[in-house]
Amino acid sequence: MAISFDNALGIHEQALYLRSRRAEVLANNLANADTPNFKARDVDFSSLLSQAGKALQQGNAASEPRRTNSRHLGLDAAGDGQLLYRVPNQPAVDGNTVEEHAEMARFAKNGQDFEASLYFLNSKFRGLQTAIRGEI
Amino acid sequence: MNSIFDIAGQGMTAQSVRLNTVASNLANAQSAASSVDQVYRARHPLFAAVQKDAMDAQAGWSDAPDAGEEGMGVQVLGVVESQAPLERRYEPGHPLADKDGYVLYPNVNVVEEMADMISASRSFQINVEMLQSAKTMAQRLLSLGQ
């Protein structure tokens, strides 16, 4: 097939996936806002995205080690090792580092960025459709 | 992204358990008793983050890219009774008074409970808002390419 979705959609597919993963991490932080000793976590989005971009350029299959058994631990881009701990502005007495307002703001921002990625993907699809139809 | 719905659900469950204990504590704040065994003690839920076993997660969803996440959601480990000292009031006219005229009252701190109530309902609200955002995201995702 002449159309390769990987080439056509570019980085936005990866960005969308990373956004949805980050939403999960932030949701987990918010749900644990009252859990003693819970440490808020987040991902370094730009480094993950650049990693995904490099993987895209080199071809997906080559850069990511394949799992031959379902019980092998993954080394995927958004895996355990990439989750970082947040440094709180005001540490709480109970050892919890979730700052609800800040997390909520990040969650909202992440949602908007998700929308942006979706918008770009939609534009790509529209472009493809226009190309297929041959209309202007 | 589906796990956001689970996480928000667990968060709401945990907060409603907390609200429930607050309600119980406030309702029983003035429940007097004549002996130490019978008197009501303030109850508080114990929250903990749900830690997913990486191996189990991998086994369940063999090649799912998001398998094996570090933690997903919140759980209530149990409800514990407060060990704070009970309140002993001198009320000789009270029908439950002991031979010295003292009545035992629960160790419920009403001010603390009210603050806890506000905190719980705010946290519940945050979970609902989170759920709504996740729903919007999922709906927009479903309409991709249309």
Side-chain angles (χ1 to χ4, degrees):
Chain A
M1 202 170 90
I3 291 177
S4 155
F5 277 119
D6 275 347
N7 289 336
L9 302 179
I11 198 75
H12 301 302
E13 187 195 342
Q14 309 291 326
L16 196 72
Y17 170 68
L18 289 176
R19 290 290 177 207
S20 71
R21 279 280 293 119
R22 183 163 185 239
E24 282 174 17
V25 175
L26 295 179
N28 195 34
N29 287 347
L30 281 167
N32 282 295
D34 296 311
T35 307
N37 290 319
F38 179 82
K39 307 294 178 211
R41 313 200 64 177
D42 201 353
V43 291
D44 183 359
F45 184 79
S46 54
S47 81
L48 280 184
L49 193 64
S50 66
Q51 212 175 314
K54 272 183 211 139
L56 200 68
Q57 280 170 357
Q58 292 162 359
N60 282 325
S63 62
E64 206 161 306
R66 252 172 5 105
R67 262 181 260 152
T68 49
N69 185 305
S70 62
R71 292 182 77 83
H72 287 170
L73 298 180
L75 282 169
D76 33 53
D80 230 8
Q82 303 288 328
L83 277 170
L84 310 171
Y85 289 96
R86 170 121 43 239
V87 179
N89 287 320
Q90 299 179 75
V93 195
D94 64 353
N96 187 308
T97 62
V98 180
E99 284 162 335
E100 275 167 316
H101 48 282
E103 294 294 334
M104 203 63 212
R106 284 191 195 98
F107 191 78
K109 169 98 173 32
N110 188 59
Q112 287 305 307
D113 293 341
F114 183 85
E115 293 270 321
S117 288
L118 267 180
Y119 180 80
F120 285 128
L121 269 183
N122 263 326
S123 319
K124 295 273 183 187
F125 278 122
R126 269 203 301 279
L128 284 179
Q129 272 172 346
T130 314
I132 291 167
R133 287 205 199 98
E135 299 161 352
I136 307 253
Chain B
M1 195 164 66
N2 280 326
S3 69
I4 298 180
F5 293 97
D6 297 340
I7 294 169
Q10 287 171 357
M12 285 189 285
T13 311
Q15 297 303 337
S16 69
V17 168
R18 186 167 163 214
L19 264 181
N20 224 324
T21 57
V22 169
S24 164
N25 291 346
L26 284 176
N28 285 298
Q30 300 299 321
S31 307
S34 47
S35 79
V36 181
D37 307 331
Q38 287 168 343
V39 72
Y40 179 88
R41 281 158 212 269
R43 276 145 209 214
H44 296 289
L46 212 62
F47 287 0
V50 176
Q51 299 293 339
K52 219 182 218 174
D53 185 4
M55 290 299 261
D56 280 354
Q58 297 278 335
W61 289 86
S62 54
D63 272 334
D66 53 359
E69 280 136 10
E70 110 297 351
M72 281 293 131
V74 60
Q75 61 181 338
V76 181
L77 284 181
V79 177
V80 290
E81 287 189 337
S82 166
Q83 297 300 311
L86 298 166
E87 203 188 324
R88 245 173 129 231
R89 277 187 222 158
Y90 182 65
E91 285 176 4
H94 199 286
L96 289 171
D98 60 10
K99 60 181 189 315
D100 301 324
Y102 282 101
V103 184
L104 280 167
Y105 279 91
N107 53 0
V108 175
N109 184 338
V110 179
V111 179
E112 203 178 279
E113 295 298 330
M114 289 302 282
D116 215 24
M117 183 182 81
I118 296 166
S119 168
S121 76
R122 285 279 173 272
S123 298
F124 191 92
Q125 222 171 329
I126 280 179
N127 277 292
V128 173
E129 274 167 37
M130 200 162 79
L131 194 77
Q132 269 167 352
S133 320
K135 200 179 90 181
T136 320
M137 281 164 80
Q139 277 172 343
R140 300 274 293 139
L141 194 59
L142 282 175
S143 66
L144 179 67
Q146 277 175 11

